[in-house]
Amino acid sequence: MAETTAPAPLERAQAEVADLLSELIRIDTTNTGDTTTSVGERKAAEWVAGKLDEVGIDSVIHESEKGRASLVARIPGADRERPGLLIHGHLDVVPADKREWTVDPFSGEQRDGYVWGRGAVDMKDMDCMTLALVRDWARTGTKPPRDVVLALVADEEAGGKYGAHYLVDHHADLFENVSEAISEVGGFSLTVRDDLRLYLIQTAEKGLAWMRLTAQARPGHGSFVHDDNAVTQLAAAVARIGSTRLPTVLTPPMKQFIEEVSDAYGIEIDVDHPDEALARLGSISRMIGAALRNTVNPTMLDAGYKTNVIPGTASATIDGRFLYGQEEAFEAQIDELLGEGVTREYITHDQAVETTFDGPLVEQMVTALKAEDDGARPVPFTMSGGTDAKSFETLGMRCFGFSPLRLPADLDFAGLFHGIDERVPVESLRFGVRVLDRFLRAS
């Protein structure tokens, strides 16, 4: 591992990161899943390009469709022959209803030591920590040891067709000679006690299986006796799927995570039935529990057009996620639950990704975290959702979730993802800037 040098004070980067995040949140980049109603990605990409241009960093913007814009910049390293490192983030966010929020979700308001707004943790925080850092490097003439490629992309929240997938399929040359990548949902802290915090580093994420279920039967008059009913068939399948918990499968990263949790908390965890013990992790247990099995949840229903007409077709959508190496088993589990007369088709389908918790890059993550928090204990885990790593892994990169944040012990961090009153502590952003600086200087 490369020798770690003492980082620069980074006063300006730490001072501006919260303001950068507020500005970016104020650019509404809502992704509805439909290009005609999604907004703001081009404006956000141009905003990032302007911030990079201010300090002399060139970037390119590519559109997959009008307005669906992604930005890529390459920061030259000291050794141009070494394989580079990708930092990828997404500019889009899920919708937010301001009637449900304490603040306007697109205000970027700074209140009570937090930056509030949609995207504050998913994932404009990492975008802006990285942006603040590379701007500081440019001002001070700091050069990383190898090339660092920055990709801030569209459409992650709807599967990446118009963002990362488009870049990989049509502009793979932008990522030439890049061997590793970091991005969201990893490197955040989970407080065990005052002197011990687990930092969860994502080494795996589940595959994506969004499906449409369809039942077809004989239509008819709503007043008749009618046993062949598409709505009834579909409802039964949806009920079975929604009420079934699929079997526990302990993948390598989650086996190591459970061992670390068992040691840190001083508790015995039954690896065949770990949920009860993991519940003591608080709100994060929902995310962790979902990484112990394949999961499927009904999300939308559609049937009929008039109260007194029995429709011939009924449909539902389900959000399925499968563990690495479990796709075939997952499909068999779903097919068993469907029952007679109900078929399925993929709406969005993408691979699961997994790598190992070892090697120089992991050592550098561990070293950087411990340098900024002497109570840090980094551990691997599997993310229950998905990221654009699914695209970049196809180019041969090892992909990690490493968006470092030291969080207050009482913050429901998992609940903020796609949640109401999404927010991130300003001090956590400054911590992330310092950790990323140490990490990237050593990488």
Side-chain angles (χ1 to χ4, degrees), residues 187-188 196-201 256-257 260 357 362-363 365-370 373 375-381 402:
F188 59 91
L196 178 59
R197 279 161 294 281
L198 301 180
Y199 281 83
L200 281 60
I201 296 175
Q256 189 172 351
F257 175 81
E260 294 280 3
F357 190 61
V362 170
E363 293 174 11
M365 293 176 191
V366 171
T367 299
L369 285 168
K370 288 186 173 181
D373 180 1
R377 183 169 177 176
V379 299
F381 87 113
F402 188 64

Side-chain angles (χ1 to χ4, degrees), residues 211-217 228-241 296 298 300-302 312-318 331-346:
M211 302 181 197
R212 179 177 291 106
L213 310 184
T214 303
Q216 292 183 316
D228 186 18
N229 189 314
V231 174
T232 303
Q233 292 175 352
L234 179 74
V238 167
R240 283 191 298 272
I241 289 169
V296 61
M300 293 191 293
L301 296 167
D302 183 32
T313 300
S315 65
T317 61
I318 59 175
E331 290 180 340
Q333 291 164 344
I334 298 305
D335 289 342
E336 186 175 348
L337 292 169
L338 289 181
E340 292 293 326
V342 181
T343 60
R344 64 173 173 86
E345 60 180 328
Y346 284 119

